Amino acid sequence: MINREQKKDHCMAKKVWKGSSNLTWKEIESHVMILCDKIDKTGFEFDRIATISRGGLVPARLIADHFDIKKIRIGKKKIPKRTLFVDDIYDSGDTFKRIFPLVKDPKNFVYATLVARKGTGYPKQLIYAKKTRGQEYVIFPWDKLEFKRAQTKLKD
């Protein structure tokens, strides 16, 4: 059986990245402000935030602080009405496809990410702060060690 880390390493090995892009905490803070402004402009009213474990945790926490949301739902089986879903990157669309069927009110749903992969088709529910320049691997401050481990394993 393959565990989650092995699966992620395997996926990283299959995808052909063209370079990498290291985001700094300062850039993350800027992206969060841009994203929060875009969320405000939608008029979407929410009273909770949902995310997936790992990549979405930090952005969800930062956005929750901005909007004074006290609880973040992680990995739940259903996503109730008035819930903002937050992730770090919209890349292949796999996370969106996995969580969208769990959304109780799909017509009133916002999927917010700090970064969206350029050249990828976007669902209408997606709001993002920035697009990638191309097919580079985006390294967030919270996953630098994970990226380094994966690179080491690929060399072996």
Side-chain angles (χ1 to χ4, degrees):
M1 181 177 275
I2 295 177
N3 69 31
R4 188 171 288 166
E5 280 303 311
Q6 290 169 325
K7 185 176 180 183
K8 187 164 188 165
D9 291 344
H10 178 70
C11 291
M12 286 177 71
K14 278 188 154 188
K15 178 82 176 177
V16 179
W17 302 108
K18 295 181 180 163
S20 61
S21 173
N22 283 288
L23 293 179
T24 66
W25 281 110
K26 186 174 182 174
E27 290 170 312
I28 295 300
E29 290 172 0
S30 172
H31 290 0
V32 166
M33 294 311 296
I34 291 167
L35 190 56
C36 288
D37 186 52
K38 287 182 175 185
I39 292 166
D40 272 339
K41 288 179 180 174
T42 68
F44 177 63
E45 294 183 20
F46 60 96
D47 54 17
R48 58 190 74 139
I49 290 177
T51 190
I52 57 169
S53 180
R54 308 230 353 134
L57 288 172
V58 175
R61 174 70 163 104
L62 296 171
I63 291 168
D65 281 348
H66 179 85
F67 288 108
D68 197 28
I69 300 293
K70 301 298 183 203
K71 290 188 178 182
I72 299 171
R73 300 171 58 88
I74 302 168
K76 299 295 182 183
K77 301 283 186 226
K78 291 287 180 193
I79 299 174
K81 291 180 181 182
R82 298 175 50 93
T83 300
L84 173 70
F85 191 89
V86 178
D87 203 359
D88 55 0
I89 186 167
Y90 183 88
D91 193 4
S92 64
D94 288 347
T95 301
F96 180 84
K97 290 173 198 162
R98 192 171 65 244
I99 64 104
F100 194 67
L102 306 176
V103 176
K104 189 164 186 161
D105 186 8
K107 291 182 181 178
N108 192 26
F109 175 67
V110 173
Y111 186 90
T113 66
L114 298 178
V115 180
R117 173 77 50 210
K118 182 179 179 180
T120 303
Y122 305 131
K124 66 181 180 180
Q125 297 86 350
L126 178 67
I127 298 173
Y128 58 88
K130 178 187 173 194
K131 283 185 184 180
T132 61
R133 291 185 305 268
Q135 296 303 309
E136 73 276 11
Y137 185 84
V138 179
I139 305 166
F140 294 94
W142 51 88
D143 67 8
K144 285 181 181 179
L145 291 175
E146 179 182 335
F147 178 72
K148 189 175 182 178
R149 276 192 305 272
Q151 291 299 99
T152 302
K153 287 178 184 179
L154 290 176
K155 290 177 185 176
D156 291 344

